[in-house]
């Protein structure tokens, strides 16, 4: 071996590395990750299965009507709902709020949240149906009671009208007989009818007509006990 040998040539610098080829496993793994993110209900911004509903914050008042929430309650509910929602989706829904004084947009994310809301709506619908059935039963009972009461009153009024008719006919016959006797006095009979007595006769005839043909306009007017002129 020569004492002074030539130095070995330096190694050539390595060139830039070429693009790394992704494998099918890498592509499939990335696809699964995207799918998992799109259906992750805990991520209310990235989850693809989300929709905004409206909660009615009205409460029942003492008179049975629905009263809107206070401004503080509405503001607190809106702030909490907005913080747990996709801002853009929530804002679009709020722009179409049918009644901002009562309704608050609320985002549901994932199938489980939708199932729970559907179950709550079914329970509310069942309670409303039960209340409607109970109200119908009460109305039918009240209708039956009123029908019986009205029927009894009608029978009483018919009987009373018949009694009054008989009494008025007898009284009218006596008055007419007296009028004829006094119109043509014979042998010391009574004097002719005075103006006041003739007014009584006219009034009696009106009462007789009202009893024979009763109505709400004529019958009460003749039984008010008003003083005759």
């Amino acid at each position: 071996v020569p004492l002074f040998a030539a130095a070995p040539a330096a190694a050539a610098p390595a060139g830039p590395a070429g693009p790394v080829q992704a494998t099918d496993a890498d592509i499939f793994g990335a696809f699964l990750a995207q799918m998992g993110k799109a259906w992750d209900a805990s991520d209310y911004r990235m989850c693809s299965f989300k929709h905004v509903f409206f909660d009615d914050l009205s409460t029942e008042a003492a008179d049975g009507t629905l009263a809107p929430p206070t401004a503080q309650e509405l503001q607190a509910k809106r702030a909490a709902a907005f913080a747990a929602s996709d801002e853009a989706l929530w804002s679009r829904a709020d722009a179409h709020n049918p009644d901002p004084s009562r309704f608050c947009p609320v985002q549901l994310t994932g199938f489980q949240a939708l199932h729970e809301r559907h179950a709550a709506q079914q329970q509310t619908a069942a309670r409303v149906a039960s209340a409607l059935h109970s109200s119908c039963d009460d109305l039918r009972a009240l209708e039956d009671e009123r029908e019986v009461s009205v029927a009894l009153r009608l029978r009483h009024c018919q009987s009373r009208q018949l009694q009054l008719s008989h009494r008025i006919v007898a009284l009218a016959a006596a008055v007419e007989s007296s009028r004829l006797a006094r119109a043509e006095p014979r042998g010391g009979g009574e004097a002719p009818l005075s103006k006041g007595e003739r007014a009584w006769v006219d009034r009696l005839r009106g009462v007789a007509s009202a009893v024979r043909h009763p109505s709400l306009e004529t019958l009460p007017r003749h039984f008010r006990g008003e003083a005759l002129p």
Side-chain angles (χ1 to χ4, degrees):
V1 177
L3 183 60
F4 300 99
V20 178
Q21 297 293 330
T23 64
D24 291 342
D26 296 334
I27 297 175
F28 186 69
F31 174 74
L32 289 181
Q34 292 177 356
M35 288 293 294
K37 195 67 174 176
W39 298 104
D40 183 8
S42 62
D43 191 343
Y44 52 81
R45 289 189 176 88
M46 297 301 296
C47 182
S48 297
F49 190 79
K50 55 188 176 184
H51 192 77
V52 175
F53 294 86
F54 290 98
D55 281 352
D56 188 355
L57 305 182
S58 302
T59 56
E60 185 177 359
D63 58 355
T65 60
L66 292 179
T70 63
Q72 294 79 4
E73 293 174 345
L74 182 62
Q75 185 62 28
K77 181 67 175 180
R78 286 174 58 86
F82 182 80
S85 304
D86 182 344
E87 291 83 354
L89 182 63
W90 192 93
S91 298
R92 286 198 302 270
D94 191 45
H96 297 85
N97 193 333
D99 189 351
S101 66
R102 293 172 48 196
F103 299 142
C104 175
V106 176
Q107 175 178 313
L108 295 185
T109 307
F111 289 99
Q112 183 61 30
L114 180 63
H115 173 73
E116 293 174 356
R117 186 178 184 90
H118 178 262
Q121 289 179 339
Q122 291 293 100
Q123 294 176 0
T124 302
R127 289 195 299 269
V128 171
S130 177
L132 288 176
H133 286 305
S134 178
S135 298
C136 290
D137 293 340
D138 293 341
L139 287 175
R140 280 193 292 267
L142 181 61
E143 182 181 6
D144 294 340
E145 180 181 353
R146 294 292 296 175
E147 184 176 356
V148 172
S149 176
V150 170
L152 291 176
R153 290 185 180 183
L154 180 59
R155 292 175 57 183
H156 173 74
C157 291
Q158 290 174 342
S159 176
R160 181 63 175 168
Q161 179 190 2
L162 185 60
Q163 295 175 4
L164 290 175
S165 298
H166 291 167
R167 293 175 59 184
I168 290 176
V169 168
L171 182 58
V175 170
E176 187 66 15
S177 177
S178 176
R179 185 185 69 80
L180 293 176
R182 297 175 67 177
E184 299 179 359
R186 297 179 183 177
E190 297 183 15
L193 296 177
S194 64
K195 183 179 179 180
E197 289 173 334
R198 286 195 298 271
W200 271 100
V201 172
D202 295 338
R203 189 64 175 269
L204 180 61
R205 289 172 178 170
V207 172
S209 176
V211 171
R212 286 193 297 268
H213 307 287
S215 66
L216 294 178
E217 292 79 12
T218 60
L219 188 57
R221 187 171 63 242
H222 293 283
F223 290 96
R224 292 177 183 173
E226 298 176 356
L228 292 175

